[in-house]
Amino acid sequence: MSAIACVRNPAKPEDTLVFFCTTDQNVGFSIVPDKVDGGLRDGEDDDEVDVPLRGLPVNTGETKVGTLVAQPGAFCSLVFDNLIRVYGVRSTGDISLLSPGVSDLPKGPSTAKRALAGCGDGEGQAWLYYLGDDNDPPKLTQYTLSDFADKAFSTSTAHPDPQTSLSAYYKASDGSRACVFQDNGSTKLRYIEVLANASEPSGDVDGTGYAAAKTPIATAVIKDTVFLYYVDQDNVLQRVVRKGRAGWTDTNKAQGNTWNLYPLTAVPSLDGNSITIRQVGRKNAGIIPWTDNVTGIAI
């Protein structure tokens, strides 16, 4: 499964930067427009494909070692200290900065679980989330990029499946952040938040009990609303929504039944009326985008 991450270019907001694991397990890169004419995913051979500028995305589940990034693996991208940064899991298990340039992180966070997520305020605060290796099931761990502090969440509030993927988001409307994961012992999704007052509420993501095992997870924020995407057991992309501090509602079949279990990304459009979800396809070496119309949903 090809690691993939997207971030909007602050210097040219109409462009989205796409980073992915290439066939030689390096970091590939492409620039794509704000919106795409995403059609039905009834057959991937006919879908529109983002054309990479550098490298071809790997599209097999084969595990390889000895090159820059892990395969399978995970990337996350964010803006921190006015710079677009991409982080990923190396073939060694170390979590490192991959772009711009490759460098280890202070205090050497690492994971054997290949799950990684990140979020930030776009300025001087940003966080990475990964699965620590000292426990089974592993502990969800937060790494603060500004001071390199590690914090493992209690298993009483965050009890992730060892094979879970992760997704994290930051809400500028209230200064909160959260990480979403698949619960250990079931397929439902759960989340843990860190609020502006430092409290850490957690709970189930309602309506996700039919999620596929090892489902990819992607989140996007528009105003005070969180949009969460995952793949269910019928290979259908599903969407749930959380408005403000309310519960998760608006469970909706977002699209098709040709989605796979490779990582997903989700980026809102500039006008806030749509979200583009991207995933590496199974039948080709391209990145397939699909646009979800969310007009009028966000508050």
Side-chain angles (χ1 to χ4, degrees):
M1 63 182 181
S2 176
I4 184 173
C6 295
V7 63
R8 190 169 295 287
N9 184 357
K12 192 179 179 184
E14 63 269 27
D15 287 344
T16 297
L17 309 184
V18 182
F19 301 89
F20 53 88
C21 175
T22 63
T23 51
D24 60 357
Q25 289 178 252
N26 213 310
V27 181
F29 168 68
S30 190
I31 302 174
V32 295
D34 178 44
K35 292 184 179 180
V36 297
D37 296 326
L40 297 176
R41 287 180 58 116
D42 292 331
E44 289 183 351
D45 290 337
D46 299 324
D47 286 324
E48 180 179 354
V49 174
D50 289 337
V51 179
L53 296 180
R54 185 183 73 227
L56 292 176
V58 60
N59 64 342
T60 72
E62 180 181 358
T63 299
K64 301 178 182 179
V65 295
T67 47
L68 179 63
V69 294
Q71 165 60 23
F75 288 173
C76 66
S77 55
L78 49 85
V79 177
F80 174 54
D81 279 349
N82 299 310
L83 189 65
I84 295 172
R85 302 172 190 246
V86 180
Y87 299 89
V89 181
R90 303 277 297 273
S91 56
T92 58
D94 295 326
I95 299 170
S96 300
L97 176 70
L98 300 179
S99 178
V102 178
S103 65
D104 295 332
L105 295 176
K107 298 186 179 179
S110 64
T111 178
K113 307 301 182 184
R114 310 292 177 87
L116 180 68
C119 64
D121 64 2
E123 298 177 357
Q125 291 291 324
W127 302 267
L128 302 180
Y129 296 89
Y130 66 97
L131 300 183
D133 299 330
D134 296 334
N135 300 83
D136 190 14
K139 286 189 176 181
L140 179 64
T141 303
Q142 172 185 273
Y143 180 89
T144 303
L145 288 169
S146 59
D147 62 8
F148 321 123
D150 259 346
K151 170 186 171 59
F153 292 102
S154 168
T155 54
S156 64
T157 55
H159 200 230
D161 186 272
Q163 301 298 316
T164 188
S165 59
L166 301 173
S167 184
Y169 60 86
Y170 175 86
K171 287 176 56 181
S173 58
D174 60 11
S176 67
R177 60 188 184 273
C179 184
V180 182
F181 55 91
Q182 196 156 36
D183 193 37
N184 188 49
S186 73
T187 61
K188 68 183 177 183
L189 304 185
R190 286 183 59 83
Y191 69 97
I192 184 165
E193 291 182 287
V194 181
L195 303 183
N197 64 6
S199 62
E200 298 176 359
S202 62
D204 293 344
V205 179
D206 300 326
T208 62
Y210 195 59
K214 305 179 186 178
T215 179
I217 307 167
T219 51
V221 177
I222 300 176
K223 298 178 181 178
D224 196 29
T225 301
V226 180
F227 296 82
L228 188 155
Y229 297 87
Y230 68 96
V231 177
D232 72 12
Q233 295 174 30
D234 296 322
N235 297 324
V236 174
L237 182 69
Q238 299 281 356
R239 181 190 72 206
V240 291
V241 176
R242 188 184 190 201
K243 300 180 179 182
R245 304 298 308 160
W248 297 88
T249 59
D250 296 336
T251 301
N252 184 60
K253 178 179 176 179
Q255 185 53 243
N257 59 355
T258 60
W259 294 84
N260 57 61
L261 299 183
Y262 301 166
L264 297 171
T265 67
V267 178
S269 61
L270 288 174
D271 61 15
N273 289 331
S274 64
I275 296 172
T276 299
I277 297 91
R278 288 182 168 86
Q279 184 180 63
V280 173
R282 290 173 294 187
K283 298 179 182 178
N284 55 45
I287 297 168
I288 300 174
W290 177 76
T291 299
D292 187 19
N293 186 344
V294 297
T295 302
I297 296 178
I299 62 170

